[in-house]
Amino acid sequence: MRFQLTDEFIEKVEKLIADDNGEALEALLKEYHFADIAELLEELDTDEATYIVKLLDSEVTSEILIELDDDLRESILDNLTPSEIADELDEMDTDDAADIIAELDDDIQKQVIGHIEDTTHAADIVDLLRYDEDTAGGLMAKELVSVKESWTVAGCVREMRRQAENVTRVHSIYVTDKEGRLKGRLSLKDLLTAHQRAHISEVYIPKVDYVTVHTEANEVARIMQKYDLEAIPVVDDEGILVGRITIDDILDYVKEEAERDYQMAAGISQDVEASDGLFKQTKARLPWLMIGMMGGLGAATIISNFEVILSTYPKLLIFVPLIQATAGNVGVQSSAIIVQGLANDSLKGHLFARIVRETTVALVNGISIAIIVLFISHFIFYTSYLESLSIGVALITVIILAAIVGNLIPIFLHRRGIDPAVATGPFITTSNDVFGIFTYFLIAKLILGF
Amino acid sequence: MRFQLTDEFIEKVEKLIADDNGEALEALLKEYHFADIAELLEELDTDEATYIVKLLDSEVTSEILIELDDDLRESILDNLTPSEIADELDEMDTDDAADIIAELDDDIQKQVIGHIEDTTHAADIVDLLRYDEDTAGGLMAKELVSVKESWTVAGCVREMRRQAENVTRVHSIYVTDKEGRLKGRLSLKDLLTAHQRAHISEVYIPKVDYVTVHTEANEVARIMQKYDLEAIPVVDDEGILVGRITIDDILDYVKEEAERDYQMAAGISQDVEASDGLFKQTKARLPWLMIGMMGGLGAATIISNFEVILSTYPKLLIFVPLIQATAGNVGVQSSAIIVQGLANDSLKGHLFARIVRETTVALVNGISIAIIVLFISHFIFYTSYLESLSIGVALITVIILAAIVGNLIPIFLHRRGIDPAVATGPFITTSNDVFGIFTYFLIAKLILGF
């Protein structure tokens, strides 16, 4: 029953496009879900994809366009006229339409909006464009079912049927006063079971979670997850109900955020996929490699400045990779735990207590590793007692310092309003590399007395 | 309006517990949402938290227990009798109840189940315990609204009202045949607008996405996200409707997976939080540090085996940290892109084409970095022409190799049925460290001819 995109199917579609056999193609694709067709389009070239978008009904293609990868959608839209784009937007929910229109150039935007048939829909979309994409206003859709508290249940059901036509899924019915201020909510279930002649004011639930248009997206996500909400109403500064955010938008948001954090931790500075081209990949990856290079050159400077080590204790250099790797790994571990704690809002207790705990963990890890390395260095690599001691003490110190640095940097960034996720990955690894090697040589200098 | 957990509030609650003033405490907490009380409990010690759980009504505490962190929940349940636990489970949806009961010891499990009042509920929970937690069976709840195709709309509304009492949120009404085999679905909206005397068989939508109890959790998540489903029915091997999975469970699942991948990339081998104790933290972190240590010792072995470098070309050692950092960073970048592509099922095209693209990207990055380092090494660190050349060529080679390795390892693991996320972080960094340094020295040997 499950759809599986096969090479045969793709070839069949490509052949129908090459033959300009629109009728047969339309008949073939009619069987498939829009999400499946979107998957197919990702495998075709832009012209073929455009052919299909122009061929099928905008009721279907509007859904397909929403599903597509940004890059492909952009190139398809480049091939459509403003009026064709407007037809697509006419079929979309306001939030999706606003997201897509925001990707277009300013002058095209204006032309497209002028071509949208439903003027209320157009006005709603334009209204949504005002909001920053990382706020509730940027996430919300205008489509919602709202009733006035003065109505009867029967009148409400009538009105609801009318409104529900524009709303894909009814999560909650929002209750407002005459001026449109949010007063409470009503579930479809409640409506089904309430007496027909009762007034909404008698049956609605006055307690309702809401956010304002300015609430930040991550706060919206936190609230909806914490209180297990499937939809949340959005009000403006006057308390007027202006939109609603549904759980599927939050799922997308949470996923995107997690992917972005993951990419940052892996040293990829922007959203990039395995299939992206040379330029995009290089742009996303070279910056972090350059930072790593600066770190490497920093380490080179430190090593060359400890000339005594190069000339008298070259064996200490054998353990530079170990020190470096350990410092990097500890730093990444510590910072990842903090970044995740900050993202989940689960970081509790006082900073000092956390540093003490982190130091204790680092001490245990450090001593475990130092003892092993101390013996191995002495008995396998034949370092002197003092050299081995230097390596062991350096390992413990470096692990503790890296753990504290890994802890403090994300917290510091967070407090300054900077996304702490930037502090993970190459950034923390690089700084710990340099710092770790410096600490290693300094301790060797103290112990060996040069 | 938003709840904010303050120190004053915590102290107030702690004082009421110390005074054993249950009445005042109950009155105080009545105002708050269960999710807020759960947040409060996380800040109290186990005895205090248990006091509150025993004090409040199980209608509220069952919800609180679901929200709690696993560790805290476990210690609270340790303080409750099997009959008290059963009271809590009685109030929970079957999926949550099964998750919690699965955490208990086998003998306690049996006692608890024996104490659950609602025997159907108990049987449903026991049934759910059979499934692996990473399958649709493990994710689903038994609570759903289902109607038979032979019923009328009016009869259906009556029956639905009855069933809906046990179901927190009605997403879809599932239609089955006499034997309970899933035939299709009906939206609440459809039911509201359909003629009262029509038969369900005339109005239901026969096309319905479903999964079987054996479908893997990540496949369920993929399907629900792809087709924008808010709930999906689950059938057994005979096609009998046995449960449903809702989008909020998928949101939790997606989040947990993303966090796990993130932690793996950061070298943390199990779910751990900043507030966890010494033992748990060490257990989660030391294993990867040990792997890093092995890598470091491997690097040490390589360096000490190239004695000529130590004695004749010590300047080459200055650049070991640079080579190591670059190899690690490139490997992590490449593998992260592949791991994310695999997780999103968005990895397309043939392996060979991808390797060619990856190599091209690596070549561009490699040449950019190599040229800079070549000049800096020669003019600032005074390496000879041939030494500089060795460093530059090594950088390009190492970057290309690390990119290919970073690409291939996750794909290889994935094909062998192993979660590719384990290949990121310290694992790939460590192997690339060792591999990178070896390549560096080998190239130096070839160019410098020792």
Side-chain angles (χ1 to χ4, degrees):
Chain A
M1 162 240 152
R2 197 74 57 217
F3 171 75
Q4 192 65 51
L5 192 62
T6 61
D7 285 345
E8 293 76 49
F9 184 68
I10 298 172
E11 278 161 28
K12 197 165 156 188
V13 169
E14 282 178 326
K15 187 161 184 318
L16 287 172
I17 295 174
D19 298 347
D20 194 17
N21 190 344
E23 215 167 310
L25 187 56
E26 206 175 346
L28 175 69
L29 294 180
K30 212 175 60 188
E31 301 293 312
Y32 295 93
H33 191 281
F34 62 75
D36 298 328
I37 304 180
E39 219 175 282
L40 165 72
L41 259 53
E42 301 272 2
E43 293 300 313
L44 304 176
D45 64 36
T46 310
D47 288 338
E48 293 169 334
T50 310
Y51 183 93
I52 292 179
V53 170
K54 289 197 182 198
L55 175 73
L56 301 181
D57 201 78
S58 58
E59 210 173 300
V60 180
T61 52
S62 60
E63 299 278 8
I64 294 175
L65 284 173
I66 296 169
E67 295 293 317
L68 290 183
D69 203 63
D70 296 3
D71 296 338
L72 178 58
R73 178 169 59 231
E74 209 175 297
S75 15
I76 293 177
L77 292 183
D78 279 346
N79 290 336
L80 300 184
T81 65
S83 139
E84 283 171 328
I85 299 177
D87 285 346
E88 303 290 347
L89 299 189
D90 245 328
E91 297 290 337
M92 291 181 195
D93 277 352
T94 45
D95 55 342
D96 295 321
D99 288 347
I100 287 177
I101 221 170
E103 291 169 9
L104 302 172
D105 291 336
D106 278 358
D107 53 323
I108 312 268
Q109 275 192 23
K110 285 206 190 77
Q111 293 181 46
V112 169
I113 292 166
H115 278 98
I116 296 176
E117 266 179 44
D118 181 341
T119 49
T120 328
H121 192 62
D124 280 346
I125 296 171
V126 171
D127 185 53
L128 288 181
L129 287 175
R130 291 189 295 135
Y131 303 107
D132 185 45
E133 64 168 336
D134 278 336
T135 63
L139 281 175
M140 71 180 182
K142 290 284 188 172
E143 286 81 5
L144 53 82
V145 177
S146 80
V147 299
K148 303 259 187 268
E149 53 181 345
S150 54
W151 295 354
T152 62
V153 167
C156 173
V157 171
R158 265 199 311 279
E159 171 63 17
M160 246 204 59
R161 284 190 188 161
R162 199 186 60 75
Q163 293 183 21
E165 279 189 15
N166 294 316
V167 184
T168 326
R169 284 181 197 119
V170 180
H171 289 88
S172 254
I173 301 148
Y174 299 114
V175 180
T176 66
D177 63 14
K178 279 206 303 288
E179 283 77 31
R181 270 187 291 268
L182 179 69
K183 300 291 284 183
R185 68 187 171 85
L186 205 59
S187 75
L188 219 49
K189 220 168 82 181
D190 299 330
L191 206 63
L192 267 174
T193 46
H195 197 283
Q196 293 291 298
R197 264 167 305 183
H199 278 87
I200 297 298
S201 55
E202 300 161 39
V203 293
Y204 83 86
I205 308 150
K207 221 176 156 179
V208 59
D209 284 294
Y210 63 86
V211 290
T212 78
V213 287
H214 312 298
T215 308
E216 278 179 34
N218 58 3
E219 175 69 2
V220 178
R222 192 186 68 78
I223 293 169
M224 290 187 72
Q225 288 177 79
K226 178 173 169 188
Y227 298 109
D228 269 338
L229 307 174
E230 299 215 327
I232 195 165
V234 184
V235 301
D236 67 10
D237 292 328
E238 275 78 47
I240 307 277
L241 176 66
V242 289
R244 62 133 192 205
I245 297 168
T246 52
I247 185 89
D248 51 313
D249 296 322
I250 293 301
L251 178 59
D252 291 343
Y253 176 80
V254 165
K255 241 192 125 180
E256 275 167 30
E257 285 294 295
E259 284 179 6
R260 216 175 46 92
D261 282 2
Y262 185 81
Q263 292 189 323
M264 277 213 246
I268 302 163
S269 62
Q270 51 177 277
D271 193 25
V272 70
E273 279 180 34
S275 56
D276 282 331
L278 178 63
F279 180 69
K280 203 172 166 189
Q281 294 243 14
T282 306
K283 216 176 119 197
R285 294 163 65 167
L286 192 54
W288 277 123
L289 295 183
M290 287 285 179
I291 291 179
M293 183 195 75
M294 311 273 276
L297 291 173
T301 312
I302 293 171
I303 299 178
S304 59
N305 273 318
F306 280 86
E307 274 170 30
V308 197
I309 289 187
L310 279 169
S311 57
T312 318
Y313 304 100
K315 279 206 168 154
L316 288 181
L317 290 175
I318 294 178
F319 296 95
V320 164
L322 173 64
I323 299 278
Q324 179 180 353
T326 309
N329 287 345
V330 170
V332 169
Q333 285 183 338
S334 302
S335 62
I337 292 177
I338 299 297
V339 167
Q340 220 162 42
L342 288 169
N344 288 335
D345 206 18
S346 68
L347 218 53
K348 281 156 205 151
H350 291 285
L351 183 61
F352 182 73
R354 198 160 47 244
I355 297 298
V356 170
R357 188 184 304 106
E358 186 69 22
T359 308
T360 323
V361 176
L363 196 65
V364 172
N365 287 342
I367 290 175
S368 317
I369 287 178
I371 288 176
I372 300 175
V373 172
L374 203 135
F375 277 94
I376 292 184
S377 64
H378 185 66
F379 291 106
I380 297 185
F381 294 98
Y382 307 114
T383 51
S384 70
Y385 286 116
L386 284 184
E387 281 173 336
S388 299
L389 186 67
S390 305
I391 297 163
V393 173
L395 269 172
I396 297 176
T397 316
V398 162
I399 289 177
I400 292 175
L401 289 178
I404 294 177
V405 169
N407 241 285
L408 289 182
I409 291 184
I411 293 175
F412 172 77
L413 290 179
H414 183 68
R415 291 201 177 156
R416 301 290 299 254
I418 302 167
D419 183 351
V422 303
T424 51
F427 184 79
I428 210 113
T429 323
T430 302
S431 48
N432 274 338
D433 281 1
V434 180
F435 204 54
I437 292 171
F438 182 71
T439 310
Y440 175 36
F441 287 174
L442 209 61
I443 287 174
K445 191 181 156 92
L446 288 173
I447 293 181
L448 295 166
F450 49 81
Chain B
M1 160 240 150
R2 196 73 56 215
F3 172 76
Q4 191 67 50
L5 191 61
T6 60
D7 285 345
E8 291 78 50
F9 185 67
I10 298 172
E11 277 162 30
K12 198 165 157 189
V13 170
E14 282 179 326
K15 188 160 185 319
L16 287 172
I17 295 173
D19 298 347
D20 193 19
N21 190 345
E23 213 167 312
L25 186 56
E26 206 175 345
L28 174 69
L29 294 180
K30 213 176 58 189
E31 301 293 312
Y32 295 92
H33 191 281
F34 61 76
D36 298 328
I37 304 181
E39 220 175 284
L40 164 72
L41 258 52
E42 301 272 1
E43 293 299 315
L44 303 177
D45 65 37
T46 310
D47 288 337
E48 291 170 334
T50 310
Y51 183 93
I52 292 179
V53 170
K54 291 198 179 197
L55 175 73
L56 301 181
D57 200 77
S58 58
E59 209 173 300
V60 180
T61 52
S62 59
E63 300 278 8
I64 294 174
L65 284 173
I66 296 168
E67 296 292 318
L68 289 184
D69 205 60
D70 296 3
D71 296 338
L72 178 58
R73 178 169 58 231
E74 210 173 297
S75 16
I76 292 177
L77 292 183
D78 279 346
N79 289 335
L80 300 184
T81 65
S83 139
E84 282 170 328
I85 299 177
D87 286 346
E88 303 290 346
L89 299 188
D90 244 328
E91 297 290 338
M92 290 181 195
D93 277 354
T94 46
D95 55 341
D96 296 322
D99 288 347
I100 286 177
I101 220 170
E103 292 168 10
L104 301 172
D105 290 336
D106 278 358
D107 53 323
I108 312 269
Q109 275 191 22
K110 285 205 189 81
Q111 293 181 47
V112 169
I113 292 165
H115 278 97
I116 295 177
E117 266 180 46
D118 181 341
T119 50
T120 329
H121 191 60
D124 282 346
I125 296 170
V126 172
D127 185 54
L128 289 181
L129 287 175
R130 291 188 296 136
Y131 303 106
D132 185 47
E133 62 167 338
D134 279 335
T135 64
L139 282 175
M140 72 181 181
K142 289 284 188 172
E143 286 81 4
L144 53 81
V145 177
S146 81
V147 299
K148 302 258 187 270
E149 52 181 347
S150 54
W151 294 355
T152 62
V153 168
C156 173
V157 170
R158 264 199 312 278
E159 172 63 17
M160 244 204 61
R161 281 186 191 166
R162 200 188 58 78
Q163 291 184 21
E165 278 188 17
N166 294 318
V167 184
T168 325
R169 284 179 197 122
V170 180
H171 290 89
S172 255
I173 301 149
Y174 300 115
V175 179
T176 66
D177 64 13
K178 279 205 304 288
E179 283 76 33
R181 268 186 292 268
L182 180 69
K183 301 292 283 184
R185 67 186 170 86
L186 204 62
S187 74
L188 218 51
K189 220 167 83 182
D190 299 330
L191 206 63
L192 268 174
T193 47
H195 198 283
Q196 292 291 297
R197 266 167 303 183
H199 278 87
I200 297 298
S201 54
E202 301 161 39
V203 292
Y204 84 85
I205 308 150
K207 221 176 156 178
V208 59
D209 284 293
Y210 63 88
V211 290
T212 79
V213 287
H214 313 296
T215 309
E216 278 180 34
N218 58 4
E219 175 68 3
V220 179
R222 193 188 67 78
I223 293 169
M224 290 187 72
Q225 287 176 80
K226 180 175 169 187
Y227 298 110
D228 269 337
L229 308 175
E230 300 216 327
I232 196 163
V234 184
V235 301
D236 67 10
D237 292 326
E238 275 77 49
I240 308 276
L241 177 65
V242 289
R244 62 134 192 204
I245 297 168
T246 52
I247 185 90
D248 52 315
D249 296 323
I250 293 301
L251 178 59
D252 290 343
Y253 175 81
V254 166
K255 242 193 123 178
E256 274 167 30
E257 285 295 294
E259 283 180 5
R260 217 175 45 94
D261 282 2
Y262 184 81
Q263 292 189 323
M264 277 213 248
I268 302 163
S269 63
Q270 52 178 274
D271 193 26
V272 69
E273 278 180 36
S275 56
D276 282 332
L278 177 62
F279 180 70
K280 203 171 166 188
Q281 293 243 14
T282 306
K283 216 175 117 197
R285 293 164 66 168
L286 192 54
W288 277 125
L289 296 183
M290 286 285 178
I291 291 180
M293 183 195 75
M294 312 272 276
L297 290 173
T301 312
I302 292 172
I303 299 178
S304 59
N305 274 319
F306 280 86
E307 275 171 29
V308 196
I309 289 187
L310 279 169
S311 57
T312 319
Y313 304 100
K315 277 205 170 156
L316 288 181
L317 290 175
I318 293 178
F319 296 95
V320 164
L322 173 65
I323 299 279
Q324 179 180 353
T326 309
N329 286 345
V330 170
V332 168
Q333 284 183 339
S334 301
S335 62
I337 291 177
I338 299 297
V339 167
Q340 220 161 43
L342 288 168
N344 288 337
D345 207 19
S346 67
L347 218 54
K348 281 156 204 151
H350 290 286
L351 184 61
F352 183 73
R354 198 161 48 243
I355 298 296
V356 169
R357 190 186 301 107
E358 187 69 21
T359 309
T360 324
V361 175
L363 197 65
V364 171
N365 286 341
I367 290 175
S368 317
I369 288 178
I371 289 176
I372 299 175
V373 172
L374 203 135
F375 278 94
I376 291 182
S377 65
H378 185 67
F379 291 108
I380 296 184
F381 294 97
Y382 308 114
T383 50
S384 71
Y385 286 116
L386 284 184
E387 281 174 336
S388 298
L389 185 66
S390 306
I391 297 164
V393 172
L395 268 173
I396 296 176
T397 316
V398 162
I399 288 177
I400 291 175
L401 289 178
I404 294 176
V405 169
N407 242 287
L408 289 182
I409 290 184
I411 292 174
F412 172 76
L413 290 179
H414 182 70
R415 291 201 177 156
R416 301 291 299 256
I418 302 168
D419 183 350
V422 302
T424 51
F427 185 79
I428 210 113
T429 322
T430 302
S431 47
N432 274 338
D433 281 0
V434 181
F435 204 54
I437 292 171
F438 182 70
T439 310
Y440 173 39
F441 286 174
L442 210 61
I443 286 174
K445 191 181 156 93
L446 288 172
I447 292 180
L448 296 166
F450 51 81

